[in-house]
Amino acid sequence: SHFLITRFNIWDEKLRRGAGILEPEAYRAWLTRRIRIFNELLLPTIVSQTFQGFHYLLVLDTERDETLDAFLDHLSPYQMIRPVFIDLRQAHPWSVYEKALGQEILALSKPGEIVATTRLDSDDAINVDFMSALNRYCTQIEASRVGAGMYLNFPLGLQINGTDVSLHVVNRNPFQTMLESREKYLDDRIWTRKGVFQTAHNRTDKVSEVVNITTRLPMWAQFVHGGNVANVDGANLLKLAPSDDLDLLFAGVLSKASTVR
């Protein structure tokens, strides 16, 4: 069973304070902008996947307003998208998070299956063949090899900065997938970590084996914008000439990137 997972607006006081969006007015402005970026960049590449055998878990804060409700109404036609509301204002918030996701995953999978969870940031995009390539590789892996967990990673991707398109090769990048047995999700003890978000993407090799999958084409795209300066790196990246063929691999969103600020 395949699950794409995006943490959209979950509660994190430290992060919201650092971003200056603790106050309601500032938060609403941030949410409105984040929804626009998601709708223009990530969403088209999710719904255009050539392999549709997956669920997309969109993780949201339990506090809702008219802006969020309108967003959810916009997403309602897409059956693969399942909003998951989690309140992280409780004690042991990440245990609460993993338990809530685990319940959703158990409800949508079958006993004996391998569970694949893939992380996606809300302001990025994936190749329309991302899930097809991932599924093709997963079907070749014997269940006995998965054991307690295994990470899969497509190193080759793109970095988009305005009209600049560059090849980007990143081991342990923010588009990793974790494979685990479904039975692991039956263990809800607080120290039993599970799912792709159990550690930072650049530390997954400390948790389990990381398998890098070589591809001929870029499988993901990171967009540099005003709220995402962490992606401004790799000054020596190989710049590419924009092309319609490359744009089609990402459902036409690359040509829109320069308007997203």
Side-chain angles (χ1 to χ4, degrees), residues 86-88 90-103 187-194 197-198:
I86 303 179
D87 183 6
L88 294 187
Q90 307 174 55
H92 309 297
W94 289 108
S95 177
V96 171
Y97 171 83
E98 288 187 357
K99 184 175 182 179
L101 274 187
Q103 290 172 344
D187 185 348
D188 61 1
R189 291 175 296 181
I190 191 172
W191 55 83
T192 304
R193 304 299 306 274
K194 55 190 76 74
F197 285 105
Q198 65 184 267

Coordinates of all heavy atoms in Angstrom, one line a residue, residues 86-88 90-103 187-194 197-198:
I86 N -5.0 16.5 12.9 CA -4.3 16.1 14.1 C -4.0 17.3 14.9 O -3.5 18.3 14.5 CB -3.0 15.4 13.7 CG1 -3.2 14.2 12.8 CG2 -2.2 14.9 14.9 CD1 -2.0 13.5 12.3
D87 N -4.3 17.2 16.2 CA -4.0 18.2 17.2 C -2.7 17.9 17.9 O -2.6 17.0 18.7 CB -5.2 18.3 18.2 CG -5.0 19.5 19.2 OD1 -4.0 20.2 19.0 OD2 -5.8 19.6 20.2
L88 N -1.7 18.7 17.6 CA -0.4 18.5 18.2 C -0.1 19.4 19.4 O 1.0 19.6 19.8 CB 0.7 18.7 17.1 CG 0.7 17.7 16.0 CD1 1.9 17.9 15.1 CD2 0.7 16.3 16.5
Q90 N -1.1 18.6 22.2 CA -1.1 17.6 23.3 C 0.3 17.2 23.8 O 1.3 17.5 23.1 CB -1.9 16.3 22.9 CG -3.3 16.6 22.3 CD -3.9 15.4 21.7 OE1 -4.0 14.4 22.4 NE2 -4.3 15.4 20.5
A91 N 0.4 16.5 24.9 CA 1.6 15.9 25.3 C 2.1 14.9 24.3 O 1.3 14.2 23.7 CB 1.5 15.3 26.7
H92 N 3.4 14.7 24.2 CA 4.0 13.8 23.3 C 3.4 14.0 21.9 O 2.9 13.0 21.3 CB 3.8 12.3 23.7 CG 4.2 12.1 25.1 ND1 5.5 12.2 25.6 CD2 3.5 11.7 26.2 CE1 5.6 11.9 26.9 NE2 4.4 11.6 27.3
P93 N 3.6 15.2 21.3 CA 2.9 15.5 20.0 C 3.2 14.5 18.9 O 2.4 14.2 18.1 CB 3.3 16.9 19.7 CG 4.5 17.2 20.5 CD 4.3 16.3 21.8
W94 N 4.5 14.1 18.8 CA 4.9 13.3 17.6 C 4.4 11.9 17.8 O 4.2 11.2 16.8 CB 6.4 13.4 17.3 CG 6.7 14.7 16.8 CD1 7.3 15.8 17.4 CD2 6.3 15.2 15.5 NE1 7.4 16.9 16.6 CE2 6.7 16.6 15.4 CE3 5.6 14.7 14.5 CZ2 6.5 17.4 14.3 CZ3 5.3 15.5 13.3 CH2 5.8 16.8 13.3
S95 N 4.2 11.4 19.0 CA 3.6 10.1 19.2 C 2.1 10.2 18.8 O 1.6 9.3 18.2 CB 3.7 9.7 20.7 OG 3.0 8.5 20.9
V96 N 1.4 11.3 19.1 CA 0.1 11.6 18.7 C 0.0 11.6 17.2 O -0.9 11.0 16.6 CB -0.5 12.9 19.3 CG1 -1.8 13.3 18.7 CG2 -0.6 12.8 20.8
Y97 N 0.9 12.2 16.6 CA 1.0 12.3 15.1 C 1.1 10.9 14.4 O 0.3 10.6 13.6 CB 2.2 13.2 14.7 CG 2.5 13.3 13.2 CD1 1.8 14.1 12.4 CD2 3.5 12.5 12.7 CE1 2.1 14.1 11.0 CE2 3.8 12.5 11.4 CZ 3.1 13.3 10.5 OH 3.4 13.3 9.2
E98 N 2.1 10.2 14.9 CA 2.3 8.9 14.3 C 1.2 7.9 14.6 O 0.8 7.1 13.7 CB 3.6 8.3 14.8 CG 4.9 9.0 14.3 CD 6.2 8.3 14.7 OE1 6.1 7.3 15.4 OE2 7.2 8.8 14.2
K99 N 0.5 8.0 15.7 CA -0.6 7.2 16.0 C -1.8 7.5 15.1 O -2.4 6.6 14.6 CB -1.0 7.3 17.5 CG -2.1 6.4 17.9 CD -2.4 6.5 19.4 CE -3.5 5.5 19.8 NZ -3.8 5.5 21.3
A100 N -2.1 8.8 14.9 CA -3.2 9.2 14.1 C -2.9 8.7 12.6 O -3.9 8.2 12.0 CB -3.4 10.7 14.1
L101 N -1.7 8.9 12.1 CA -1.4 8.5 10.8 C -1.5 6.9 10.7 O -2.0 6.4 9.7 CB 0.0 8.9 10.4 CG 0.1 10.3 9.8 CD1 1.6 10.5 9.3 CD2 -0.9 10.6 8.6
G102 N -1.0 6.3 11.7 CA -1.0 4.8 11.7 C -2.4 4.3 11.7 O -2.7 3.3 10.9
Q103 N -3.4 4.9 12.3 CA -4.8 4.5 12.3 C -5.3 4.6 10.9 O -6.1 3.7 10.4 CB -5.6 5.3 13.3 CG -5.3 5.0 14.7 CD -6.0 5.9 15.7 OE1 -6.5 7.0 15.3 NE2 -6.0 5.5 17.0
D187 N 1.7 -1.7 16.5 CA 2.4 -1.4 17.8 C 2.3 0.1 18.1 O 3.0 0.9 17.4 CB 3.8 -1.9 17.7 CG 4.6 -1.8 19.0 OD1 4.1 -1.1 19.9 OD2 5.7 -2.3 19.1
D188 N 1.4 0.5 19.0 CA 1.3 1.9 19.3 C 2.0 2.4 20.5 O 1.7 3.5 21.0 CB -0.2 2.3 19.4 CG -0.9 1.5 20.6 OD1 -0.2 0.7 21.3 OD2 -2.1 1.7 20.8
R189 N 3.0 1.6 20.9 CA 3.9 2.1 22.0 C 4.7 3.3 21.6 O 5.1 3.4 20.4 CB 4.8 1.0 22.5 CG 4.1 -0.2 23.2 CD 5.1 -1.3 23.5 NE 5.6 -1.9 22.3 CZ 6.5 -2.9 22.3 NH1 6.9 -3.4 23.4 NH2 7.0 -3.4 21.1
I190 N 4.9 4.3 22.5 CA 5.4 5.6 22.2 C 6.8 5.5 21.6 O 7.2 6.3 20.8 CB 5.4 6.5 23.4 CG1 5.7 8.0 23.0 CG2 6.3 6.0 24.5 CD1 5.5 8.9 24.1
W191 N 7.6 4.5 22.0 CA 9.0 4.4 21.5 C 9.1 3.6 20.2 O 10.2 3.5 19.6 CB 9.8 3.7 22.6 CG 9.3 2.3 23.0 CD1 9.5 1.1 22.4 CD2 8.5 2.0 24.1 NE1 8.9 0.1 23.0 CE2 8.3 0.6 24.1 CE3 8.0 2.8 25.2 CZ2 7.6 0.0 25.1 CZ3 7.3 2.2 26.2 CH2 7.0 0.8 26.1
T192 N 8.0 3.1 19.6 CA 8.0 2.4 18.4 C 7.7 3.4 17.3 O 6.6 3.7 17.0 CB 7.0 1.3 18.3 OG1 7.2 0.4 19.4 CG2 7.1 0.5 17.0
R193 N 8.8 4.0 16.7 CA 8.7 5.0 15.6 C 8.3 4.3 14.3 O 8.8 3.2 14.0 CB 10.0 5.8 15.5 CG 10.4 6.5 16.8 CD 9.4 7.5 17.3 NE 9.0 8.4 16.3 CZ 9.7 9.6 16.1 NH1 10.8 9.8 16.7 NH2 9.3 10.4 15.2
K194 N 7.5 5.0 13.5 CA 7.1 4.4 12.2 C 6.8 5.5 11.2 O 6.6 6.6 11.6 CB 5.9 3.5 12.4 CG 4.7 4.2 13.1 CD 3.6 3.2 13.5 CE 4.0 2.4 14.7 NZ 3.9 3.2 16.0
F197 N 8.4 10.0 8.3 CA 8.7 11.2 9.1 C 9.3 11.0 10.4 O 9.5 11.9 11.2 CB 7.5 12.1 9.2 CG 7.1 12.8 8.0 CD1 6.0 12.4 7.3 CD2 7.8 13.9 7.6 CE1 5.6 13.1 6.1 CE2 7.4 14.6 6.4 CZ 6.3 14.2 5.7
Q198 N 9.7 9.7 10.7 CA 10.2 9.4 12.1 C 11.6 10.1 12.3 O 12.0 10.2 13.5 CB 10.3 7.9 12.3 CG 11.3 7.2 11.4 CD 11.2 5.7 11.6 OE1 12.0 5.2 12.4 NE2 10.3 5.0 10.9

